[in-house]
Amino acid sequence: QQSQELRSRTEQLQTQQQQLSESKQQVEQAYQRALQLDDDNQTLRRQLEQQRQWLPKLESLQQMATEQQQLAAKLTQDQRQLTEIDGELQQQRENNIHAQQQLDELRTALDQQTSLEAEQHQLTLWQQQRQRHEELERQQQQLRQQQQQLQQQLLAQRATTHAAEQQSQHLENRWYDQQALTLARTLESGKPCPVCGAIEHPSPAHNQDEELVEHPQVIAARKTFQQEQQKQQQLEQQLSHSQNRLDLVQQQLHENGEPKAPQQLDQLRQQLAAKTSHYQQQRQQLVKLNQQISEGQQRLEQLGTKQRTLAERIHQQQLQKQTADERLRMLRQEIPEDLRSAEQLQQSMSALEHQLQQNLSRQRRATEQREQLLEQLSAVASQLDSTGQQAKNVQQQHQHVEQKF
């Protein structure tokens, strides 16, 4: 029974081995086809790498194309601006010529009105003389009023000063009398006087029943007198100074002379005002024309500078455009026309990456299937060897049993 089972097991394994051998042929064919994909994969990788290198170039190409369009637009704008500047320059030159002609005519007319300045100067002198006369009279009146006030103040101050002097002298005399009385109280007959040295004192000072005067009172009264005396001296100086100023003002009035009457000055001002108004209008027009010519000349210089700068910039832009055109042409030659957009290039790269991943997946699956089949064949062969060995052992056992019997 054991032999029968081993034979049945062997037959199953042989059948499985045969099936696996048949599958191996198909797997080997698929594996070989997968190996042949290596060349395709290398080609795909080279194409993908090349397109990846094109990507920054494509960005540069697009950026350069944009910059070229901007440069062309800027060049067109500058050329249009240069044309406008040329026209503005021509118009400004004509305006300057016309303004210069008007200025020359106006200067000729103004040169014929030189007497107006002399009249204006003379009227100004008369007006100043009149103003000075009125100002000096006003000062004279003020000084006379000031003198009257100072004289009144001086009279009052002299009385105050005299009263202070009398009070100071009175207090001082009383203080000396009190000092003599105090000394008299200390005199003794036969003893010398500390003041005169006399031994006899026939008429000493007597108490007069007056209020006692202290020495600080004497000093205060003397100080009050001195202060009032200073005030008096200041008023006398002010009065003298005021008199000197009054004498000076009267002398200036005499030197100023007799001015014209206000009515006469008004008439002269009206006559001169009419002349001056017309003259000022012409002067204003002259200033306006000078300013217009000056501004026109500055504008010409500015436009000339701008014209030269713009012409140089246009020249540089033309050179830049030529260089950019050449770089753009060379860059376009490196990238195929159908891949010159980022979207097209990304789609192409995605397709190459997808194809490469499919090939790698096919190779991986073919390798895994082959390895799995080989492992299965190896396992079946190992089982067949084990089963054959078991069968051989069983057969040897049978032969040994038969020999015993």
Side-chain angles (χ1 to χ4, degrees):
Q1 184 179 2
Q2 187 177 8
S3 298
Q4 187 176 359
E5 291 177 355
L6 289 172
R7 282 196 298 274
S8 177
R9 175 64 176 165
T10 300
E11 289 175 357
Q12 291 176 356
L13 290 172
Q14 288 175 346
T15 299
Q16 186 177 2
Q17 186 180 36
Q18 184 178 1
Q19 291 175 350
L20 289 173
S21 297
E22 292 174 357
S23 297
K24 180 183 178 184
Q25 185 177 1
Q26 297 176 356
V27 170
E28 285 292 341
Q29 291 176 355
Y31 179 69
Q32 291 300 324
R33 287 196 299 272
L35 290 178
Q36 291 175 359
L37 291 175
D38 285 340
D39 294 337
D40 293 341
N41 290 345
Q42 292 296 329
T43 301
L44 288 172
R45 287 190 179 94
R46 285 195 299 271
Q47 292 177 350
L48 187 59
E49 180 63 26
Q50 186 179 31
Q51 291 186 7
R52 284 174 179 166
Q53 294 176 358
W54 286 346
L55 190 59
K57 292 183 179 180
L58 179 61
E59 293 176 356
S60 298
L61 178 64
Q62 293 173 343
Q63 182 178 358
M64 288 177 61
T66 302
E67 292 176 354
Q68 187 188 37
Q69 292 175 356
Q70 295 175 349
L71 185 61
K74 181 63 176 174
L75 181 60
T76 301
Q77 180 183 358
D78 287 347
Q79 288 173 339
R80 187 183 303 111
Q81 187 178 1
L82 182 61
T83 302
E84 294 174 357
I85 290 175
D86 290 339
E88 190 175 354
L89 271 170
Q90 181 62 30
Q91 183 63 42
Q92 188 62 54
R93 291 191 184 99
E94 293 176 359
N95 292 342
N96 283 8
I97 292 173
H98 180 66
Q100 186 63 49
Q101 291 174 350
Q102 290 181 324
L103 182 65
D104 293 340
E105 293 173 359
L106 188 58
R107 281 176 175 169
T108 302
L110 288 173
D111 290 341
Q112 298 173 358
Q113 301 181 17
T114 54
S115 61
L116 184 63
E117 295 181 1
E119 292 178 14
Q120 178 65 52
H121 179 67
Q122 183 60 55
L123 179 60
T124 301
L125 292 177
W126 287 335
Q127 289 175 336
Q128 291 175 351
Q129 183 186 24
R130 185 68 201 178
Q131 292 173 356
R132 183 169 177 78
H133 180 80
E134 292 175 353
E135 175 63 21
L136 289 171
E137 284 188 334
R138 185 186 63 81
Q139 292 180 11
Q140 180 179 246
Q141 182 64 25
Q142 289 179 348
L143 289 170
R144 284 175 176 172
Q145 293 175 356
Q146 185 183 42
Q147 276 194 329
Q148 291 178 0
Q149 294 175 357
L150 288 172
Q151 288 172 354
Q152 293 174 0
Q153 292 175 5
L154 182 58
L155 288 174
Q157 184 61 43
R158 283 174 177 171
T160 302
T161 303
H162 179 72
E165 182 182 15
Q166 294 294 325
Q167 177 65 14
S168 175
Q169 188 65 40
H170 174 68
L171 290 176
E172 189 172 355
N173 291 336
R174 285 178 56 193
W175 183 78
Y176 282 129
D177 292 341
Q178 290 173 3
Q179 294 302 312
L181 181 60
T182 301
L183 180 61
R185 291 174 181 171
T186 62
L187 294 176
E188 296 180 6
S189 181
K191 292 184 179 181
C193 175
V195 177
C196 63
I199 297 176
E200 296 298 330
H201 315 292
S203 300
H206 297 286
N207 187 6
Q208 298 178 0
D209 296 329
E210 292 182 350
E211 183 181 354
L212 184 63
V213 176
E214 300 292 340
H215 189 256
Q217 291 179 274
V218 176
I219 294 175
R222 186 183 303 161
K223 185 175 181 180
T224 299
F225 165 64
Q226 292 173 351
Q227 290 175 348
E228 296 300 330
Q229 194 175 34
Q230 288 177 358
K231 290 180 182 179
Q232 178 180 330
Q233 291 174 354
Q234 290 175 356
L235 286 172
E236 289 173 349
Q237 290 176 358
Q238 291 177 8
L239 183 60
S240 176
H241 179 68
S242 177
Q243 182 61 46
N244 292 335
R245 289 181 58 193
L246 180 60
D247 293 342
L248 178 61
V249 167
Q250 290 174 345
Q251 181 181 354
Q252 290 174 345
L253 275 171
H254 176 72
E255 293 174 353
N256 189 56
E258 186 65 26
K260 292 186 178 298
Q263 297 80 1
Q264 188 178 3
L265 288 175
D266 290 339
Q267 184 179 3
L268 291 173
R269 273 195 296 268
Q270 292 174 2
Q271 293 174 355
L272 188 60
K275 297 180 182 179
T276 304
S277 176
H278 180 67
Y279 179 77
Q280 289 298 331
Q281 291 177 0
Q282 291 179 322
R283 291 291 302 176
Q284 290 175 1
Q285 188 177 0
L286 179 67
V287 172
K288 185 177 179 180
L289 285 172
N290 275 322
Q291 184 177 0
Q292 180 180 345
I293 292 174
S294 177
E295 291 175 354
Q297 188 61 36
Q298 291 178 2
R299 183 59 180 164
L300 278 178
E301 294 175 359
Q302 293 173 356
L303 289 172
T305 301
K306 191 173 182 180
Q307 182 189 47
R308 292 188 295 273
T309 302
L310 195 57
E312 177 62 24
R313 188 167 69 190
I314 289 173
H315 177 67
Q316 294 298 327
Q317 288 175 348
Q318 289 173 341
L319 294 178
Q320 292 175 5
K321 188 175 183 301
Q322 292 176 0
T323 303
D325 290 342
E326 181 62 21
R327 289 177 59 195
L328 193 61
R329 184 187 64 79
M330 294 176 63
L331 194 57
R332 281 174 175 167
Q333 290 178 353
E334 297 182 20
I335 303 176
E337 186 175 359
D338 58 344
L339 297 179
R340 289 179 184 171
S341 72
E343 183 179 358
Q344 292 173 335
L345 185 57
Q346 288 291 348
Q347 289 177 354
S348 177
M349 291 172 61
S350 298
L352 291 174
E353 289 177 349
H354 180 69
Q355 183 63 41
L356 180 60
Q357 292 300 323
Q358 283 185 337
N359 290 348
L360 293 175
S361 297
R362 287 177 59 188
Q363 287 182 321
R364 187 165 52 254
R365 286 195 302 271
T367 302
E368 291 174 353
Q369 290 176 358
R370 181 173 178 273
E371 291 177 351
Q372 184 178 5
L373 185 59
L374 291 176
E375 290 176 357
Q376 291 176 354
L377 283 172
S378 177
V380 169
S382 178
Q383 291 177 5
L384 281 173
D385 290 341
S386 176
T387 303
Q389 185 65 35
Q390 290 177 4
K392 186 177 180 181
N393 291 338
V394 170
Q395 186 178 4
Q396 288 177 355
Q397 290 176 1
H398 286 171
Q399 290 176 357
H400 183 68
V401 172
E402 289 177 355
Q403 287 177 2
K404 285 184 179 182
F405 289 102

